[in-house]
Amino acid sequence: MVVVVVSCFFTVLLSVPGRLYGYVNFAHKELQQIYDAESAIMSHLYRVPEDSVRKILPVEVRNLGAYREICAPLGESLADSCRRLCVQTVGRYRDMGYREWQRFAGEFRTGLYRRVEFAKAHRRESGNKRIFSLDSSLSLHVVDGDLRLDVDGRVPSANFIVDGDVKVSGKARYDTLRIFAQGRVDVGGNLQISLLEVFASDEVEIRGNVNFRGVVFSQKGFVIGGKSVAAYPSFAVAVGFGNARGMLADKASFAGLLVAPGGEVSLRSSALYDSSTRVLPAFDETEEFVFNRNFVQ
């Protein structure tokens, strides 16, 4: 019995290092993949010449309007396959004059129009449109009319060019909502918007219970009120001259940058504005930094 017990004991002791070695080898492989991906992303951010770094991974860069997304492959692992490490970046803040903001507005306006126009299955329809149901991604140009978007549920991607006014309401969650409007834009209801991009030739008003991260450019002014929450880093810009005004009202909170270079921005006492880490859109030619990091398939 003693010999049997001792034999079992030593068998267990001998098997433990084998299992531990396998776990350590797996963790080392995972860590090395993450290190290689992060090295490739940082080399791209700091413009390190490719020929100065050996075996650097290729990166994929995607324009997300005011943000940039940089992804590097992680290769195959024992847990998942074809995973990627992605980071989102913005630019560091610097003082800019009115003319530079006008240039920013032009770049954003052109880029947003193209992102909507070249979105998958883009189509044109004339007259006023009202949409109550949206189960899949949509890209639509409303010619000579207004748009009313009153959708409940989950929406992967909604992209609109509208020759008139736009009103968004309902109780929905948008992965992406892009609006290019020649008129006024009103966003309200109970909405969750992971990425919001708006350009309006008239005013933009966001009220109700709207949670978003994104960028709003308006020619005449903007109002962000109600219980709306703009996550860091967001941008709201009134680019008109003279009477262009921005307002953070009611119990809204905004983390990022509020600016009216040709007018003024006002804040109600109950509103919350966090500009401690001021930022600029990534298409500004300044140093970029990472504000979000995640693993995706």
Side-chain angles (χ1 to χ4, degrees):
M1 289 297 295
V2 172
V3 172
V4 171
V5 170
V6 171
S7 299
C8 292
F9 178 73
F10 275 103
T11 300
V12 171
L13 286 180
L14 290 173
S15 66
V16 168
R19 291 197 299 268
L20 181 61
Y21 176 79
Y23 174 78
V24 171
N25 187 49
F26 169 79
H28 176 266
K29 184 177 180 180
E30 291 274 292
L31 186 62
Q32 185 64 48
Q33 288 178 352
I34 295 172
Y35 174 81
D36 291 341
E38 288 187 333
S39 297
I41 291 171
M42 296 304 293
S43 296
H44 178 83
L45 275 176
Y46 291 104
R47 299 177 175 85
V48 177
E50 292 185 5
D51 56 359
S52 66
V53 182
R54 296 181 61 186
K55 296 182 180 179
I56 190 169
L57 292 173
V59 297
E60 178 185 351
V61 182
R62 190 159 65 108
N63 181 14
L64 298 178
Y67 316 115
R68 282 208 311 160
E69 183 177 69
I70 307 171
C71 296
L74 288 170
E76 295 185 1
S77 70
L78 300 179
D80 302 293
S81 62
C82 300
R83 294 184 305 162
R84 296 181 300 159
L85 173 64
C86 293
V87 301
Q88 288 80 43
T89 69
V90 286
R92 294 197 183 277
Y93 183 81
R94 61 181 177 85
D95 290 330
M96 296 193 305
Y98 178 74
R99 290 185 180 274
E100 286 184 288
W101 278 111
Q102 284 290 317
R103 178 177 62 83
F104 262 36
E107 290 184 18
F108 179 76
R109 183 180 189 275
T110 302
L112 177 59
Y113 192 95
R114 289 175 177 172
R115 283 190 291 279
V116 177
E117 188 178 37
F118 294 115
K120 187 177 181 180
H122 179 74
R123 67 177 190 266
R124 295 164 61 95
E125 295 183 5
S126 299
N128 296 334
K129 297 296 175 183
R130 189 166 186 178
I131 300 174
F132 293 99
S133 177
L134 196 58
D135 298 327
S136 59
S137 299
L138 173 67
S139 180
L140 177 66
H141 185 169
V142 179
V143 181
D144 296 329
D146 301 331
L147 171 68
R148 174 71 183 268
L149 193 62
D150 192 0
V151 176
D152 294 342
R154 169 77 181 276
V155 181
S157 178
N159 308 274
F160 301 99
I161 298 171
V162 183
D163 291 351
D165 298 334
V166 178
K167 187 169 184 179
V168 184
S169 58
K171 185 177 182 180
R173 179 177 179 179
Y174 293 86
D175 290 346
T176 304
L177 176 60
R178 295 186 175 99
I179 300 172
F180 183 100
Q182 297 294 345
R184 177 184 174 88
V185 175
D186 289 278
V187 181
N190 291 280
L191 304 177
Q192 300 279 339
I193 308 172
S194 299
L195 175 60
L196 174 67
E197 291 188 283
V198 175
F199 184 93
S201 297
D202 206 313
E203 294 183 341
V204 176
E205 184 167 346
I206 301 175
R207 289 189 183 271
N209 187 14
V210 182
N211 290 267
F212 70 95
R213 173 187 285 135
V215 55
V216 173
F217 273 81
S218 168
Q219 288 285 77
K220 294 188 177 180
F222 62 83
V223 177
I224 300 173
K227 296 182 179 179
S228 298
V229 177
Y232 179 86
S234 292
F235 308 89
V237 186
V239 293
F241 184 77
N243 60 350
R245 296 176 180 272
M247 178 183 293
L248 187 63
D250 307 321
K251 295 183 179 180
S253 65
F254 195 97
L257 181 65
L258 297 170
V259 63
E264 61 178 4
V265 174
S266 61
L267 280 71
R268 297 284 175 85
S269 59
S270 57
L272 177 63
Y273 176 39
D274 180 11
S275 61
S276 56
T277 307
R278 304 182 75 183
V279 290
L280 289 174
F283 50 75
D284 177 41
E285 296 179 358
T286 185
E287 180 186 357
E288 293 178 67
F289 70 95
V290 174
F291 71 87
N292 191 36
R293 174 179 180 272
N294 58 323
F295 295 95
V296 297
Q297 291 291 340

Short mmCIF file of all heavy atoms in Angstrom, two decimals, residues 191-246:
data_model
loop_
_atom_site.label_atom_id
_atom_site.label_comp_id
_atom_site.label_asym_id
_atom_site.label_seq_id
_atom_site.Cartn_x
_atom_site.Cartn_y
_atom_site.Cartn_z
N LEU A 191 -31.84 56.89 -27.54
CA LEU A 191 -30.95 56.35 -28.56
C LEU A 191 -29.57 56.06 -27.99
O LEU A 191 -29.04 56.83 -27.17
CB LEU A 191 -30.81 57.32 -29.73
CG LEU A 191 -32.10 57.77 -30.42
CD1 LEU A 191 -31.78 58.78 -31.51
CD2 LEU A 191 -32.85 56.58 -31.00
N GLN A 192 -28.98 54.96 -28.45
CA GLN A 192 -27.58 54.63 -28.20
C GLN A 192 -26.89 54.62 -29.56
O GLN A 192 -27.26 53.83 -30.44
CB GLN A 192 -27.46 53.26 -27.53
CG GLN A 192 -28.17 53.12 -26.20
CD GLN A 192 -27.34 53.70 -25.07
OE1 GLN A 192 -26.12 53.86 -25.18
NE2 GLN A 192 -28.01 54.01 -23.97
N ILE A 193 -25.88 55.48 -29.74
CA ILE A 193 -25.21 55.59 -31.03
C ILE A 193 -23.71 55.43 -30.81
O ILE A 193 -23.06 56.31 -30.22
CB ILE A 193 -25.51 56.94 -31.71
CG1 ILE A 193 -27.02 57.21 -31.76
CG2 ILE A 193 -24.92 56.97 -33.10
CD1 ILE A 193 -27.38 58.60 -32.24
N SER A 194 -23.17 54.32 -31.26
CA SER A 194 -21.74 54.06 -31.05
C SER A 194 -20.87 55.04 -31.82
O SER A 194 -19.84 55.49 -31.33
CB SER A 194 -21.40 52.62 -31.45
OG SER A 194 -22.12 51.70 -30.66
N LEU A 195 -21.28 55.37 -33.06
CA LEU A 195 -20.54 56.34 -33.87
C LEU A 195 -21.55 57.24 -34.58
O LEU A 195 -22.31 56.76 -35.42
CB LEU A 195 -19.64 55.65 -34.89
CG LEU A 195 -18.90 56.57 -35.86
CD1 LEU A 195 -17.99 57.54 -35.11
CD2 LEU A 195 -18.10 55.79 -36.89
N LEU A 196 -21.54 58.52 -34.23
CA LEU A 196 -22.45 59.51 -34.83
C LEU A 196 -21.63 60.51 -35.63
O LEU A 196 -20.65 61.07 -35.14
CB LEU A 196 -23.24 60.23 -33.75
CG LEU A 196 -24.13 61.39 -34.22
CD1 LEU A 196 -25.28 60.86 -35.08
CD2 LEU A 196 -24.66 62.18 -33.03
N GLU A 197 -22.04 60.74 -36.89
CA GLU A 197 -21.42 61.76 -37.74
C GLU A 197 -22.52 62.60 -38.36
O GLU A 197 -23.39 62.06 -39.05
CB GLU A 197 -20.57 61.12 -38.84
CG GLU A 197 -19.32 60.43 -38.34
CD GLU A 197 -18.43 59.99 -39.49
OE1 GLU A 197 -18.76 58.97 -40.13
OE2 GLU A 197 -17.43 60.67 -39.76
N VAL A 198 -22.48 63.91 -38.12
CA VAL A 198 -23.52 64.80 -38.63
C VAL A 198 -22.86 66.04 -39.23
O VAL A 198 -21.97 66.64 -38.61
CB VAL A 198 -24.49 65.24 -37.51
CG1 VAL A 198 -25.49 66.26 -38.04
CG2 VAL A 198 -25.22 64.04 -36.94
N PHE A 199 -23.33 66.40 -40.43
CA PHE A 199 -23.03 67.72 -40.98
C PHE A 199 -24.35 68.32 -41.43
O PHE A 199 -25.10 67.71 -42.19
CB PHE A 199 -22.07 67.64 -42.17
CG PHE A 199 -21.67 69.00 -42.68
CD1 PHE A 199 -20.52 69.61 -42.20
CD2 PHE A 199 -22.46 69.68 -43.59
CE1 PHE A 199 -20.16 70.87 -42.64
CE2 PHE A 199 -22.11 70.94 -44.04
CZ PHE A 199 -20.96 71.55 -43.56
N ALA A 200 -24.64 69.55 -40.97
CA ALA A 200 -25.90 70.21 -41.31
C ALA A 200 -25.62 71.64 -41.75
O ALA A 200 -24.84 72.36 -41.11
CB ALA A 200 -26.84 70.21 -40.11
N SER A 201 -26.28 72.05 -42.83
CA SER A 201 -26.16 73.43 -43.29
C SER A 201 -26.95 74.38 -42.40
O SER A 201 -26.71 75.58 -42.41
CB SER A 201 -26.64 73.55 -44.74
OG SER A 201 -25.83 72.77 -45.59
N ASP A 202 -27.90 73.84 -41.63
CA ASP A 202 -28.67 74.63 -40.67
C ASP A 202 -28.23 74.24 -39.26
O ASP A 202 -27.09 73.86 -39.05
CB ASP A 202 -30.17 74.39 -40.88
CG ASP A 202 -31.03 75.56 -40.42
OD1 ASP A 202 -30.79 76.06 -39.30
OD2 ASP A 202 -31.93 75.97 -41.17
N GLU A 203 -29.12 74.28 -38.29
CA GLU A 203 -28.79 73.96 -36.91
C GLU A 203 -28.90 72.46 -36.63
O GLU A 203 -29.59 71.73 -37.33
CB GLU A 203 -29.71 74.72 -35.95
CG GLU A 203 -29.53 76.22 -35.97
CD GLU A 203 -30.41 76.92 -34.95
OE1 GLU A 203 -31.40 76.29 -34.50
OE2 GLU A 203 -30.12 78.07 -34.60
N VAL A 204 -28.22 72.04 -35.56
CA VAL A 204 -28.32 70.67 -35.07
C VAL A 204 -28.75 70.73 -33.61
O VAL A 204 -28.16 71.47 -32.81
CB VAL A 204 -26.97 69.92 -35.17
CG1 VAL A 204 -27.09 68.53 -34.55
CG2 VAL A 204 -26.52 69.82 -36.62
N GLU A 205 -29.76 69.94 -33.26
CA GLU A 205 -30.23 69.88 -31.88
C GLU A 205 -30.33 68.42 -31.45
O GLU A 205 -30.99 67.61 -32.12
CB GLU A 205 -31.58 70.56 -31.71
CG GLU A 205 -32.04 70.61 -30.26
CD GLU A 205 -33.22 71.54 -30.03
OE1 GLU A 205 -33.52 72.34 -30.93
OE2 GLU A 205 -33.83 71.44 -28.94
N ILE A 206 -29.67 68.10 -30.34
CA ILE A 206 -29.70 66.75 -29.77
C ILE A 206 -30.28 66.85 -28.37
O ILE A 206 -29.68 67.47 -27.48
CB ILE A 206 -28.29 66.13 -29.73
CG1 ILE A 206 -27.70 66.05 -31.14
CG2 ILE A 206 -28.33 64.74 -29.10
CD1 ILE A 206 -26.27 65.55 -31.19
N ARG A 207 -31.43 66.26 -28.16
CA ARG A 207 -32.11 66.32 -26.86
C ARG A 207 -32.69 64.95 -26.53
O ARG A 207 -32.59 64.01 -27.32
CB ARG A 207 -33.22 67.38 -26.86
CG ARG A 207 -32.72 68.82 -26.88
CD ARG A 207 -33.88 69.78 -26.65
NE ARG A 207 -33.47 71.17 -26.72
CZ ARG A 207 -33.03 71.88 -25.70
NH1 ARG A 207 -32.94 71.32 -24.50
NH2 ARG A 207 -32.68 73.15 -25.86
N GLY A 208 -33.31 64.89 -25.34
CA GLY A 208 -33.88 63.62 -24.91
C GLY A 208 -32.85 62.82 -24.14
O GLY A 208 -32.05 63.36 -23.38
N ASN A 209 -32.84 61.51 -24.39
CA ASN A 209 -31.91 60.61 -23.72
C ASN A 209 -31.06 59.94 -24.79
O ASN A 209 -31.26 58.79 -25.15
CB ASN A 209 -32.70 59.57 -22.91
CG ASN A 209 -31.79 58.72 -22.04
OD1 ASN A 209 -30.63 59.04 -21.83
ND2 ASN A 209 -32.32 57.62 -21.56
N VAL A 210 -30.11 60.69 -25.30
CA VAL A 210 -29.26 60.24 -26.41
C VAL A 210 -27.84 60.06 -25.91
O VAL A 210 -27.21 61.01 -25.43
CB VAL A 210 -29.28 61.25 -27.58
CG1 VAL A 210 -28.43 60.72 -28.73
CG2 VAL A 210 -30.71 61.51 -28.05
N ASN A 211 -27.33 58.84 -26.00
CA ASN A 211 -25.95 58.54 -25.63
C ASN A 211 -25.17 58.26 -26.91
O ASN A 211 -25.54 57.37 -27.68
CB ASN A 211 -25.90 57.33 -24.71
CG ASN A 211 -26.45 57.63 -23.33
OD1 ASN A 211 -25.72 57.99 -22.43
ND2 ASN A 211 -27.76 57.48 -23.17
N PHE A 212 -24.09 59.00 -27.11
CA PHE A 212 -23.36 58.85 -28.36
C PHE A 212 -21.89 59.19 -28.17
O PHE A 212 -21.49 59.83 -27.20
CB PHE A 212 -23.96 59.74 -29.45
CG PHE A 212 -23.75 61.23 -29.23
CD1 PHE A 212 -22.69 61.89 -29.83
CD2 PHE A 212 -24.61 61.96 -28.42
CE1 PHE A 212 -22.48 63.25 -29.64
CE2 PHE A 212 -24.42 63.31 -28.22
CZ PHE A 212 -23.36 63.97 -28.83
N ARG A 213 -21.12 58.76 -29.14
CA ARG A 213 -19.76 59.26 -29.34
C ARG A 213 -19.66 59.66 -30.79
O ARG A 213 -20.04 58.89 -31.67
CB ARG A 213 -18.69 58.22 -29.01
CG ARG A 213 -17.28 58.70 -29.39
CD ARG A 213 -16.21 57.64 -29.24
NE ARG A 213 -15.88 57.42 -27.85
CZ ARG A 213 -15.75 56.23 -27.28
NH1 ARG A 213 -15.99 55.14 -28.00
NH2 ARG A 213 -15.41 56.11 -26.02
N GLY A 214 -19.15 60.86 -31.06
CA GLY A 214 -19.07 61.25 -32.46
C GLY A 214 -18.77 62.71 -32.66
O GLY A 214 -18.24 63.39 -31.78
N VAL A 215 -19.13 63.19 -33.85
CA VAL A 215 -18.78 64.54 -34.25
C VAL A 215 -19.97 65.19 -34.93
O VAL A 215 -20.67 64.56 -35.72
CB VAL A 215 -17.54 64.53 -35.18
CG1 VAL A 215 -17.76 63.63 -36.36
CG2 VAL A 215 -17.18 65.92 -35.63
N VAL A 216 -20.21 66.47 -34.58
CA VAL A 216 -21.30 67.25 -35.14
C VAL A 216 -20.72 68.55 -35.67
O VAL A 216 -20.11 69.32 -34.92
CB VAL A 216 -22.37 67.55 -34.07
CG1 VAL A 216 -23.41 68.52 -34.62
CG2 VAL A 216 -23.02 66.27 -33.58
N PHE A 217 -20.89 68.78 -36.97
CA PHE A 217 -20.52 70.05 -37.59
C PHE A 217 -21.80 70.73 -38.06
O PHE A 217 -22.61 70.11 -38.76
CB PHE A 217 -19.59 69.85 -38.78
CG PHE A 217 -18.13 69.79 -38.43
CD1 PHE A 217 -17.57 68.62 -37.94
CD2 PHE A 217 -17.32 70.90 -38.59
CE1 PHE A 217 -16.23 68.55 -37.62
CE2 PHE A 217 -15.97 70.84 -38.27
CZ PHE A 217 -15.43 69.68 -37.78
N SER A 218 -21.97 72.00 -37.69
CA SER A 218 -23.16 72.75 -38.09
C SER A 218 -22.74 74.12 -38.60
O SER A 218 -21.85 74.76 -38.04
CB SER A 218 -24.10 72.90 -36.90
OG SER A 218 -25.11 73.85 -37.18
N GLN A 219 -23.41 74.57 -39.65
CA GLN A 219 -23.11 75.89 -40.19
C GLN A 219 -23.68 77.00 -39.31
O GLN A 219 -23.08 78.07 -39.19
CB GLN A 219 -23.69 76.02 -41.59
CG GLN A 219 -22.95 75.21 -42.65
CD GLN A 219 -21.63 75.83 -43.05
OE1 GLN A 219 -20.62 75.74 -42.34
NE2 GLN A 219 -21.61 76.48 -44.19
N LYS A 220 -24.83 76.77 -38.68
CA LYS A 220 -25.49 77.85 -37.94
C LYS A 220 -25.43 77.70 -36.43
O LYS A 220 -25.59 78.69 -35.72
CB LYS A 220 -26.95 77.95 -38.39
CG LYS A 220 -27.11 78.39 -39.83
CD LYS A 220 -28.56 78.66 -40.17
CE LYS A 220 -28.68 79.18 -41.60
NZ LYS A 220 -30.10 79.45 -41.97
N GLY A 221 -25.23 76.50 -35.91
CA GLY A 221 -25.15 76.33 -34.47
C GLY A 221 -25.66 74.98 -34.02
O GLY A 221 -26.26 74.23 -34.79
N PHE A 222 -25.42 74.68 -32.75
CA PHE A 222 -25.87 73.40 -32.20
C PHE A 222 -26.37 73.58 -30.78
O PHE A 222 -25.97 74.51 -30.07
CB PHE A 222 -24.73 72.36 -32.22
CG PHE A 222 -23.54 72.74 -31.38
CD1 PHE A 222 -23.51 72.51 -30.01
CD2 PHE A 222 -22.43 73.34 -31.97
CE1 PHE A 222 -22.40 72.87 -29.24
CE2 PHE A 222 -21.32 73.70 -31.21
CZ PHE A 222 -21.31 73.46 -29.85
N VAL A 223 -27.28 72.69 -30.38
CA VAL A 223 -27.77 72.61 -29.00
C VAL A 223 -27.72 71.15 -28.59
O VAL A 223 -28.27 70.28 -29.28
CB VAL A 223 -29.21 73.14 -28.86
CG1 VAL A 223 -29.69 72.96 -27.43
CG2 VAL A 223 -29.29 74.60 -29.27
N ILE A 224 -27.08 70.87 -27.48
CA ILE A 224 -27.06 69.52 -26.91
C ILE A 224 -27.68 69.63 -25.52
O ILE A 224 -27.12 70.30 -24.65
CB ILE A 224 -25.63 68.96 -26.85
CG1 ILE A 224 -25.06 68.88 -28.26
CG2 ILE A 224 -25.63 67.59 -26.19
CD1 ILE A 224 -23.61 68.50 -28.31
N GLY A 225 -28.85 69.02 -25.35
CA GLY A 225 -29.58 69.21 -24.10
C GLY A 225 -30.28 67.94 -23.65
O GLY A 225 -29.93 66.83 -24.05
N GLY A 226 -31.30 68.13 -22.81
CA GLY A 226 -31.98 67.00 -22.21
C GLY A 226 -31.05 66.25 -21.27
O GLY A 226 -30.31 66.86 -20.50
N LYS A 227 -31.08 64.93 -21.37
CA LYS A 227 -30.16 64.10 -20.58
C LYS A 227 -29.14 63.42 -21.49
O LYS A 227 -28.65 62.33 -21.18
CB LYS A 227 -30.95 63.05 -19.80
CG LYS A 227 -31.88 63.63 -18.74
CD LYS A 227 -32.59 62.52 -17.97
CE LYS A 227 -33.51 63.11 -16.91
NZ LYS A 227 -34.23 62.04 -16.16
N SER A 228 -28.83 64.07 -22.58
CA SER A 228 -27.90 63.49 -23.54
C SER A 228 -26.50 63.38 -22.95
O SER A 228 -26.07 64.23 -22.16
CB SER A 228 -27.86 64.34 -24.81
OG SER A 228 -29.13 64.36 -25.43
N VAL A 229 -25.78 62.36 -23.37
CA VAL A 229 -24.42 62.11 -22.90
C VAL A 229 -23.53 61.88 -24.11
O VAL A 229 -23.77 60.96 -24.91
CB VAL A 229 -24.35 60.89 -21.97
CG1 VAL A 229 -22.90 60.61 -21.57
CG2 VAL A 229 -25.22 61.10 -20.73
N ALA A 230 -22.52 62.72 -24.28
CA ALA A 230 -21.54 62.55 -25.34
C ALA A 230 -20.27 61.98 -24.74
O ALA A 230 -19.62 62.62 -23.90
CB ALA A 230 -21.26 63.88 -26.03
N ALA A 231 -19.91 60.77 -25.13
CA ALA A 231 -18.75 60.09 -24.57
C ALA A 231 -17.46 60.66 -25.15
O ALA A 231 -17.44 61.19 -26.26
CB ALA A 231 -18.84 58.59 -24.83
N TYR A 232 -16.39 60.52 -24.40
CA TYR A 232 -15.07 60.99 -24.83
C TYR A 232 -14.51 60.06 -25.90
O TYR A 232 -14.63 58.84 -25.78
CB TYR A 232 -14.13 61.02 -23.63
CG TYR A 232 -12.73 61.47 -23.96
CD1 TYR A 232 -12.40 62.81 -23.98
CD2 TYR A 232 -11.74 60.53 -24.25
CE1 TYR A 232 -11.12 63.22 -24.29
CE2 TYR A 232 -10.46 60.94 -24.55
CZ TYR A 232 -10.16 62.28 -24.58
OH TYR A 232 -8.89 62.67 -24.88
N PRO A 233 -13.89 60.62 -26.96
CA PRO A 233 -13.80 62.04 -27.29
C PRO A 233 -14.82 62.41 -28.36
O PRO A 233 -14.83 61.83 -29.43
CB PRO A 233 -12.38 62.16 -27.83
CG PRO A 233 -12.12 60.82 -28.47
CD PRO A 233 -12.99 59.81 -27.79
N SER A 234 -15.67 63.37 -28.09
CA SER A 234 -16.66 63.83 -29.06
C SER A 234 -16.37 65.27 -29.45
O SER A 234 -15.64 65.98 -28.75
CB SER A 234 -18.07 63.73 -28.46
OG SER A 234 -18.46 62.38 -28.29
N PHE A 235 -16.96 65.70 -30.58
CA PHE A 235 -16.74 67.05 -31.10
C PHE A 235 -18.08 67.65 -31.49
O PHE A 235 -18.90 66.99 -32.12
CB PHE A 235 -15.84 67.02 -32.34
CG PHE A 235 -14.55 66.27 -32.17
CD1 PHE A 235 -14.48 64.92 -32.42
CD2 PHE A 235 -13.41 66.93 -31.76
CE1 PHE A 235 -13.30 64.22 -32.27
CE2 PHE A 235 -12.22 66.24 -31.60
CZ PHE A 235 -12.17 64.89 -31.84
N ALA A 236 -18.29 68.90 -31.12
CA ALA A 236 -19.44 69.66 -31.61
C ALA A 236 -18.91 71.02 -32.04
O ALA A 236 -18.34 71.76 -31.23
CB ALA A 236 -20.51 69.80 -30.54
N VAL A 237 -19.11 71.36 -33.32
CA VAL A 237 -18.49 72.55 -33.89
C VAL A 237 -19.53 73.35 -34.66
O VAL A 237 -20.23 72.80 -35.51
CB VAL A 237 -17.34 72.17 -34.85
CG1 VAL A 237 -16.61 73.42 -35.33
CG2 VAL A 237 -16.36 71.21 -34.18
N ALA A 238 -19.66 74.64 -34.33
CA ALA A 238 -20.48 75.57 -35.11
C ALA A 238 -19.53 76.40 -35.95
O ALA A 238 -18.79 77.23 -35.41
CB ALA A 238 -21.31 76.45 -34.18
N VAL A 239 -19.54 76.19 -37.25
CA VAL A 239 -18.51 76.77 -38.11
C VAL A 239 -18.94 78.04 -38.83
O VAL A 239 -18.15 78.61 -39.58
CB VAL A 239 -18.02 75.73 -39.15
CG1 VAL A 239 -17.30 74.60 -38.47
CG2 VAL A 239 -19.19 75.22 -39.98
N GLY A 240 -20.17 78.52 -38.60
CA GLY A 240 -20.59 79.76 -39.23
C GLY A 240 -19.89 80.96 -38.61
O GLY A 240 -19.18 80.84 -37.60
N PHE A 241 -20.08 82.13 -39.20
CA PHE A 241 -19.41 83.33 -38.71
C PHE A 241 -20.43 84.32 -38.17
O PHE A 241 -21.50 84.52 -38.75
CB PHE A 241 -18.60 84.00 -39.83
CG PHE A 241 -17.81 85.19 -39.36
CD1 PHE A 241 -16.64 85.01 -38.67
CD2 PHE A 241 -18.27 86.47 -39.61
CE1 PHE A 241 -15.90 86.10 -38.23
CE2 PHE A 241 -17.54 87.57 -39.18
CZ PHE A 241 -16.36 87.39 -38.49
N GLY A 242 -20.09 84.95 -37.03
CA GLY A 242 -20.94 86.01 -36.47
C GLY A 242 -21.98 85.49 -35.51
O GLY A 242 -21.81 85.57 -34.30
N ASN A 243 -23.06 84.89 -36.03
CA ASN A 243 -24.15 84.46 -35.16
C ASN A 243 -24.16 82.96 -34.91
O ASN A 243 -25.15 82.41 -34.43
CB ASN A 243 -25.51 84.88 -35.77
CG ASN A 243 -25.73 84.26 -37.14
OD1 ASN A 243 -24.82 83.69 -37.71
ND2 ASN A 243 -26.95 84.39 -37.64
N ALA A 244 -23.09 82.26 -35.24
CA ALA A 244 -23.03 80.82 -34.99
C ALA A 244 -22.84 80.58 -33.50
O ALA A 244 -21.87 81.06 -32.90
CB ALA A 244 -21.89 80.19 -35.78
N ARG A 245 -23.75 79.81 -32.90
CA ARG A 245 -23.70 79.59 -31.46
C ARG A 245 -23.78 78.11 -31.13
O ARG A 245 -24.47 77.36 -31.81
CB ARG A 245 -24.85 80.32 -30.76
CG ARG A 245 -24.80 81.83 -30.89
CD ARG A 245 -26.03 82.47 -30.26
NE ARG A 245 -25.99 83.91 -30.38
CZ ARG A 245 -25.43 84.72 -29.49
NH1 ARG A 245 -24.88 84.21 -28.40
NH2 ARG A 245 -25.42 86.03 -29.67
N GLY A 246 -23.11 77.75 -30.05
CA GLY A 246 -23.23 76.41 -29.52
C GLY A 246 -23.73 76.48 -28.09
O GLY A 246 -23.40 77.41 -27.35
#
